[in-house]
Amino acid sequence: MLLRGSILPNIWRKLAVTIVMAIVVTLMHGALYHVKIRLTTIPFTLMGLALAIFLGFRNSASYERYWEGRRLWGSLGTASRNLLRQVYAYPQASSSDCPQEQAQLSQLRKNMAYAAIAFAHALRHQLREERWGEEIARLLPAERVHDWQRLQHPAAAILQAIGSDIGRALARGWLAAPLAQEMDRSLSQMSEALGGCERIKNTPIPFSYSVLLHRTVYVYCYLLPFGLVDSIGLLTPVVVGVVAYTFFGLDAIGDEIEEPFGFTPNDLPLTALSYGIEISAREMMGEMDIPAMPPPVDYCLQ
């Protein structure tokens, strides 16, 4: 009887209309304006089989987009940890006796690590078309936040800044060329995750494909009582309700998960994923002041 995460809150209105219509058809014995509409179960059997296959194919395509989004965020977490490990292991000061150089290298490492953390938050806001929050402002210098907030693709700008820092470490002699290539490979993996997420976000399932399925489901469920009333009588609203719940539910689930970066309970938990990357990174950095994971949102109360 759970509602959170269920598709019922999204379809209950059209499901109720379908059941009420089935009750009216049952009470009128399948007559409409004193004209008896005679339909057998044969066309509904054939149409239902084709519709089920169609819905299954569409939901498989939607779930593939959902799973690819989750895979991309998983690879982003792995690439972020690899980059952070390389940031603190590879660059070394040319002179260990120079405190100023050590301080500069330490600041460079911190900037690169915080930028890698900020990238996950920036990508989340970019995919959800949100304005930046305070979690990015506390990670980046104020001048960068001011400049990048106005960009349409701020996550790409953060990657560019990390690449510039790698180039700066290479030019200062803090980083050998082969090690810089390894760090750039981790940066490229983060860029691939960014491009994959943008491809899913900007390439929805064609609208004509979806609208055809919507119309077919509605026609099938609204005509079904006329094909059942003569054979099952008073049980018509019950059977129609079960069938309509299944078809309307599958249709709505496909709509919901084909765009996996939204706010519905069945979308990817991007907030938890991005904060998970930050928490893991800060633990690797040896920091103690680690932000807590934000509580999950109760979507049923919104």
Side-chain angles (χ1 to χ4, degrees):
M1 303 302 293
L2 292 176
L3 287 179
R4 187 179 187 277
S6 171
I7 204 65
L8 185 59
N10 296 341
I11 65 171
W12 71 268
R13 291 181 179 86
K14 49 189 173 185
L15 182 61
V17 170
T18 305
I19 294 176
V20 169
M21 180 177 177
I23 293 174
V24 172
V25 171
T26 302
L27 295 177
M28 299 179 64
H29 302 287
L32 184 63
Y33 294 107
H34 305 291
V35 177
K36 176 66 174 179
I37 300 178
R38 300 185 181 276
L39 292 175
T40 65
T41 58
I42 296 177
F44 293 99
T45 302
L46 299 175
M47 186 178 176
L49 179 61
L51 187 57
I53 296 174
F54 196 28
L55 281 168
F57 177 79
R58 189 278 181 92
N59 278 26
S60 296
S62 298
Y63 184 76
E64 184 178 353
R65 293 164 56 86
Y66 175 90
W67 179 246
E68 184 180 2
R70 181 61 184 91
R71 183 182 60 81
L72 290 169
W73 271 86
S75 66
L76 173 60
T78 302
S80 299
R81 284 191 290 268
N82 288 339
L83 179 63
L84 203 68
R85 172 176 51 81
Q86 294 162 349
V87 163
Y88 279 88
Y90 291 169
Q92 299 295 331
S94 56
S95 175
S96 58
D97 298 330
C98 180
Q100 183 178 4
E101 186 176 8
Q102 290 286 352
Q104 291 175 352
L105 176 58
S106 177
Q107 185 62 42
L108 181 68
R109 287 171 172 167
K110 186 175 181 180
N111 290 342
M112 294 173 66
Y114 278 6
I117 297 172
F119 173 79
H121 292 301
L123 178 57
R124 181 186 88 234
H125 290 304
Q126 180 177 322
L127 294 175
R128 289 179 168 177
E129 300 178 358
E130 297 177 314
R131 293 184 59 84
W132 281 14
E134 61 87 23
E135 73 275 9
I136 298 181
R138 57 181 166 78
L139 293 169
L140 299 175
E143 62 275 9
R144 284 186 169 181
V145 173
H146 181 267
D147 294 337
W148 291 346
Q149 274 185 330
R150 298 174 295 177
L151 300 178
Q152 295 184 6
H153 300 88
I158 294 177
L159 290 181
Q160 179 66 30
I162 298 176
S164 298
D165 289 338
I166 294 176
R168 188 175 299 111
L170 184 63
R172 291 288 300 269
W174 295 341
L175 191 62
L179 299 180
Q181 292 178 353
E182 289 295 321
M183 296 179 68
D184 185 71
R185 186 173 292 111
S186 298
L187 204 61
S188 297
Q189 292 176 353
M190 297 171 67
S191 181
E192 290 174 0
L194 167 62
C197 290
E198 288 178 334
R199 171 169 46 83
I200 296 174
K201 171 69 176 178
N202 299 327
T203 312
I205 293 178
F207 177 73
S208 58
Y209 186 87
S210 299
V211 75
L212 172 63
L213 183 59
H214 295 335
R215 290 171 177 171
T216 307
V217 169
Y218 277 99
V219 170
Y220 182 89
C221 292
Y222 289 160
L223 291 180
L224 184 59
F226 295 99
L228 296 179
V229 66
D230 290 335
S231 57
I232 62 175
L234 295 178
L235 289 178
T236 298
V238 178
V239 176
V240 170
V242 172
V243 173
Y245 173 75
T246 303
F247 282 169
F248 285 148
L250 287 173
D251 188 26
I253 289 173
D255 283 342
E256 192 169 290
I257 66 174
E258 75 170 84
E259 171 49 68
F261 305 128
F263 295 92
T264 64
N266 294 315
D267 285 328
L268 290 174
L270 297 189
T271 302
L273 291 173
S274 56
Y275 270 92
I277 291 174
E278 177 176 0
I279 292 172
S280 176
R282 285 178 175 268
E283 289 176 347
M284 293 175 64
M285 295 166 63
E287 295 187 0
M288 302 301 295
D289 186 17
I290 299 176
M293 183 71 70
V297 178
D298 191 350
Y299 295 92
C300 293
L301 299 180
Q302 291 188 347

